[in-house]
Coordinates of all heavy atoms in Angstrom, one line a residue:
M1 N -137.2 21.1 -146.6 CA -137.8 19.8 -147.1 C -137.0 19.2 -148.3 O -136.6 18.1 -148.4 CB -139.3 19.9 -147.4 CG -139.9 18.6 -147.8 SD -141.6 18.7 -148.2 CE -141.6 19.7 -149.7
F2 N -136.7 20.1 -149.3 CA -135.9 19.7 -150.4 C -134.5 19.3 -150.1 O -133.9 18.4 -150.7 CB -136.0 20.7 -151.5 CG -137.3 20.7 -152.3 CD1 -138.2 21.8 -152.2 CD2 -137.7 19.6 -153.0 CE1 -139.4 21.7 -152.9 CE2 -138.9 19.5 -153.6 CZ -139.8 20.6 -153.6
E3 N -133.9 20.0 -149.0 CA -132.6 19.6 -148.5 C -132.7 18.2 -148.0 O -131.8 17.3 -148.2 CB -132.1 20.5 -147.5 CG -131.7 21.9 -148.0 CD -131.5 22.9 -146.8 OE1 -131.4 22.5 -145.6 OE2 -131.3 24.1 -147.1
W4 N -133.7 17.9 -147.2 CA -133.8 16.5 -146.6 C -134.0 15.5 -147.8 O -133.4 14.4 -147.7 CB -135.1 16.4 -145.7 CG -135.0 17.2 -144.5 CD1 -133.9 17.6 -143.8 CD2 -136.1 17.6 -143.7 NE1 -134.2 18.3 -142.7 CE2 -135.5 18.3 -142.5 CE3 -137.5 17.5 -143.8 CZ2 -136.4 18.8 -141.5 CZ3 -138.3 18.0 -142.8 CH2 -137.7 18.7 -141.7
Y5 N -134.8 15.9 -148.8 CA -134.9 15.0 -149.9 C -133.6 14.7 -150.6 O -133.3 13.6 -151.0 CB -136.0 15.5 -150.9 CG -136.2 14.6 -152.1 CD1 -137.0 13.5 -151.9 CD2 -135.7 14.9 -153.3 CE1 -137.2 12.7 -153.0 CE2 -135.9 14.1 -154.4 CZ -136.7 13.0 -154.2 OH -136.9 12.1 -155.3
A6 N -132.9 15.8 -150.9 CA -131.6 15.7 -151.6 C -130.6 14.8 -150.8 O -129.8 14.1 -151.4 CB -131.0 17.0 -151.8
R7 N -130.7 14.8 -149.4 CA -129.8 13.9 -148.6 C -130.4 12.6 -148.3 O -129.9 11.8 -147.5 CB -129.5 14.6 -147.3 CG -128.7 15.9 -147.4 CD -128.2 16.4 -146.1 NE -129.2 16.6 -145.1 CZ -129.7 17.8 -144.7 NH1 -129.3 18.9 -145.2 NH2 -130.7 17.8 -143.8
A8 N -131.6 12.3 -149.0 CA -132.3 11.0 -148.8 C -132.8 10.8 -147.4 O -132.9 9.7 -146.9 CB -131.5 9.8 -149.3
E9 N -133.0 11.9 -146.7 CA -133.6 11.8 -145.3 C -135.1 11.8 -145.4 O -135.7 11.5 -144.4 CB -133.1 13.0 -144.5 CG -131.6 12.9 -144.2 CD -131.0 14.2 -143.5 OE1 -131.8 15.1 -143.2 OE2 -129.8 14.2 -143.3
L10 N -135.6 12.2 -146.5 CA -137.1 12.2 -146.8 C -137.3 11.4 -148.0 O -136.7 11.8 -149.1 CB -137.6 13.6 -146.9 CG -139.0 13.8 -147.2 CD1 -139.9 13.3 -146.0 CD2 -139.3 15.3 -147.4
R11 N -138.0 10.3 -148.0 CA -138.2 9.5 -149.1 C -139.7 9.2 -149.3 O -140.2 8.2 -148.8 CB -137.4 8.2 -149.0 CG -135.9 8.5 -148.9 CD -135.1 7.3 -148.6 NE -135.3 6.3 -149.6 CZ -134.8 5.1 -149.5 NH1 -134.0 4.8 -148.5 NH2 -135.0 4.2 -150.4
P12 N -140.4 10.0 -150.0 CA -141.8 9.8 -150.2 C -142.1 8.5 -151.0 O -141.3 8.2 -151.9 CB -142.3 11.0 -151.0 CG -141.1 11.6 -151.6 CD -139.9 11.2 -150.7
H13 N -143.1 7.8 -150.6 CA -143.5 6.6 -151.3 C -144.2 6.9 -152.6 O -145.1 7.7 -152.7 CB -144.4 5.7 -150.5 CG -144.8 4.5 -151.2 ND1 -144.0 3.4 -151.4 CD2 -146.0 4.1 -151.8 CE1 -144.6 2.5 -152.1 NE2 -145.9 2.9 -152.3
V14 N -143.7 6.3 -153.7 CA -144.3 6.6 -155.0 C -145.1 5.3 -155.4 O -144.5 4.2 -155.5 CB -143.2 6.9 -156.1 CG1 -143.8 7.0 -157.5 CG2 -142.4 8.1 -155.7
H15 N -146.4 5.5 -155.6 CA -147.3 4.4 -156.0 C -147.1 4.1 -157.5 O -147.0 3.0 -157.9 CB -148.7 4.8 -155.7 CG -149.7 3.8 -156.1 ND1 -150.0 2.7 -155.4 CD2 -150.4 3.7 -157.3 CE1 -150.9 1.9 -156.0 NE2 -151.2 2.5 -157.2
A16 N -147.1 5.2 -158.3 CA -147.0 5.0 -159.8 C -146.4 6.2 -160.4 O -146.6 7.3 -160.0 CB -148.4 4.7 -160.3
V17 N -145.8 5.9 -161.6 CA -145.3 7.0 -162.4 C -145.9 6.8 -163.8 O -145.7 5.7 -164.4 CB -143.7 7.0 -162.5 CG1 -143.2 8.1 -163.5 CG2 -143.1 7.2 -161.1
H18 N -146.5 7.8 -164.4 CA -147.2 7.7 -165.7 C -146.7 8.8 -166.6 O -146.5 9.9 -166.1 CB -148.7 7.9 -165.5 CG -149.4 6.7 -164.8 ND1 -149.8 5.6 -165.5 CD2 -149.7 6.5 -163.5 CE1 -150.4 4.8 -164.6 NE2 -150.3 5.3 -163.4
P19 N -146.5 8.5 -167.9 CA -146.3 9.6 -168.8 C -147.5 10.5 -168.9 O -148.6 10.1 -168.6 CB -146.0 8.8 -170.1 CG -146.5 7.4 -170.0 CD -146.6 7.2 -168.5
L20 N -147.2 11.7 -169.2 CA -148.3 12.7 -169.3 C -149.4 12.3 -170.2 O -150.6 12.5 -169.9 CB -147.7 14.1 -169.7 CG -148.7 15.2 -169.7 CD1 -149.3 15.5 -168.3 CD2 -148.0 16.5 -170.2
A21 N -149.1 11.5 -171.2 CA -150.1 11.0 -172.1 C -151.1 10.1 -171.4 O -152.3 9.9 -171.9 CB -149.5 10.3 -173.3
D22 N -150.7 9.5 -170.3 CA -151.6 8.6 -169.6 C -152.2 9.3 -168.3 O -152.5 8.6 -167.3 CB -150.8 7.3 -169.1 CG -150.4 6.5 -170.3 OD1 -151.1 6.6 -171.3 OD2 -149.5 5.7 -170.1
A23 N -152.4 10.6 -168.4 CA -152.9 11.3 -167.3 C -154.3 10.8 -166.8 O -154.5 10.8 -165.6 CB -152.9 12.8 -167.6
A24 N -155.1 10.4 -167.7 CA -156.4 9.9 -167.4 C -156.3 8.7 -166.5 O -157.1 8.6 -165.5 CB -157.3 9.7 -168.6
A25 N -155.4 7.8 -166.8 CA -155.3 6.6 -166.0 C -154.7 6.9 -164.6 O -155.2 6.3 -163.6 CB -154.3 5.6 -166.7
A26 N -153.8 7.9 -164.6 CA -153.3 8.3 -163.3 C -154.3 8.9 -162.4 O -154.5 8.6 -161.2 CB -152.1 9.2 -163.5
L27 N -155.1 9.8 -163.0 CA -156.2 10.4 -162.3 C -157.3 9.4 -161.8 O -157.8 9.5 -160.7 CB -156.9 11.5 -163.2 CG -158.0 12.3 -162.5 CD1 -157.5 13.0 -161.3 CD2 -158.6 13.2 -163.5
E28 N -157.5 8.4 -162.6 CA -158.5 7.3 -162.2 C -158.0 6.6 -160.9 O -158.7 6.4 -160.0 CB -158.7 6.3 -163.3 CG -159.7 5.3 -163.0 CD -160.0 4.4 -164.1 OE1 -159.6 4.7 -165.3 OE2 -160.7 3.4 -163.9
I29 N -156.7 6.4 -160.8 CA -156.1 5.7 -159.6 C -156.4 6.6 -158.4 O -156.8 6.1 -157.4 CB -154.6 5.5 -159.8 CG1 -154.3 4.4 -160.8 CG2 -153.9 5.1 -158.4 CD1 -152.9 4.3 -161.2
V30 N -156.1 7.9 -158.6 CA -156.3 8.8 -157.4 C -157.8 9.0 -157.1 O -158.2 8.9 -155.9 CB -155.7 10.2 -157.8 CG1 -156.1 11.2 -156.7 CG2 -154.2 10.1 -158.0
M31 N -158.7 9.1 -158.1 CA -160.1 9.3 -157.8 C -160.8 8.1 -157.2 O -161.7 8.2 -156.4 CB -160.8 9.8 -159.1 CG -160.3 11.1 -159.6 SD -160.5 12.5 -158.5 CE -162.2 12.6 -158.3
E32 N -160.2 6.9 -157.5 CA -160.8 5.7 -157.0 C -160.1 5.3 -155.7 O -160.3 4.2 -155.2 CB -160.8 4.6 -158.0 CG -161.7 4.9 -159.2 CD -161.9 3.7 -160.1 OE1 -161.3 2.6 -159.8 OE2 -162.5 3.9 -161.2
R33 N -159.3 6.2 -155.1 CA -158.6 6.0 -153.9 C -157.7 4.7 -153.9 O -157.6 4.0 -152.9 CB -159.6 5.9 -152.7 CG -160.4 7.2 -152.6 CD -161.3 7.1 -151.3 NE -162.1 8.3 -151.2 CZ -161.8 9.4 -150.7 NH1 -160.6 9.7 -150.3 NH2 -162.7 10.4 -150.7
G34 N -157.1 4.5 -155.0 CA -156.3 3.3 -155.2 C -154.8 3.6 -155.0 O -154.0 2.7 -154.9
A35 N -154.4 4.9 -154.8 CA -153.0 5.2 -154.6 C -152.6 5.0 -153.2 O -153.2 5.4 -152.3 CB -152.8 6.7 -155.0
L36 N -151.5 4.3 -153.1 CA -150.8 4.1 -151.8 C -149.5 4.9 -151.8 O -148.4 4.3 -151.6 CB -150.6 2.6 -151.5 CG -151.9 1.8 -151.5 CD1 -151.5 0.3 -151.4 CD2 -152.8 2.2 -150.4
G37 N -149.6 6.1 -152.0 CA -148.4 7.0 -152.1 C -148.6 8.0 -153.3 O -149.8 8.2 -153.7
K38 N -147.6 8.6 -153.7 CA -147.7 9.6 -154.8 C -147.9 9.0 -156.2 O -147.4 7.9 -156.5 CB -146.4 10.5 -154.8 CG -146.1 11.2 -153.5 CD -147.2 12.1 -153.2 CE -146.9 12.9 -151.9 NZ -148.0 13.7 -151.5
V39 N -148.8 9.6 -156.9 CA -149.0 9.3 -158.4 C -148.4 10.4 -159.1 O -148.8 11.6 -159.0 CB -150.4 9.0 -158.7 CG1 -150.6 8.8 -160.2 CG2 -151.0 7.9 -157.9
I40 N -147.4 10.1 -159.9 CA -146.6 11.2 -160.6 C -146.8 11.1 -162.1 O -146.8 10.0 -162.7 CB -145.1 11.0 -160.2 CG1 -144.9 11.1 -158.7 CG2 -144.2 12.0 -161.0 CD1 -143.5 10.7 -158.3
L41 N -146.9 12.3 -162.7 CA -146.9 12.4 -164.1 C -145.6 13.0 -164.6 O -145.1 13.9 -164.0 CB -148.1 13.4 -164.6 CG -149.5 12.9 -164.3 CD1 -150.5 14.0 -164.7 CD2 -149.8 11.7 -165.1

């Protein structure tokens, strides 16, 4: 899977990227089912 990712054959959709300090806001997106893809810290 990581080989596919490195070759851009696998491109997961990223909904949001948050700094670790905003972990509560990121968790709220996930808990309220607002994420349309990965939420990354």
Side-chain angles (χ1 to χ4, degrees):
M1 183 179 68
F2 283 116
E3 288 170 10
W4 291 341
Y5 181 77
R7 293 191 307 254
E9 294 173 0
L10 178 65
R11 298 174 56 185
H13 177 73
V14 176
H15 177 83
V17 177
H18 291 271
L20 187 56
D22 292 339
L27 183 58
E28 185 174 347
I29 292 169
V30 173
M31 296 304 293
E32 292 188 6
R33 301 185 185 277
L36 301 174
K38 300 297 181 187
V39 176
I40 299 172
L41 293 175

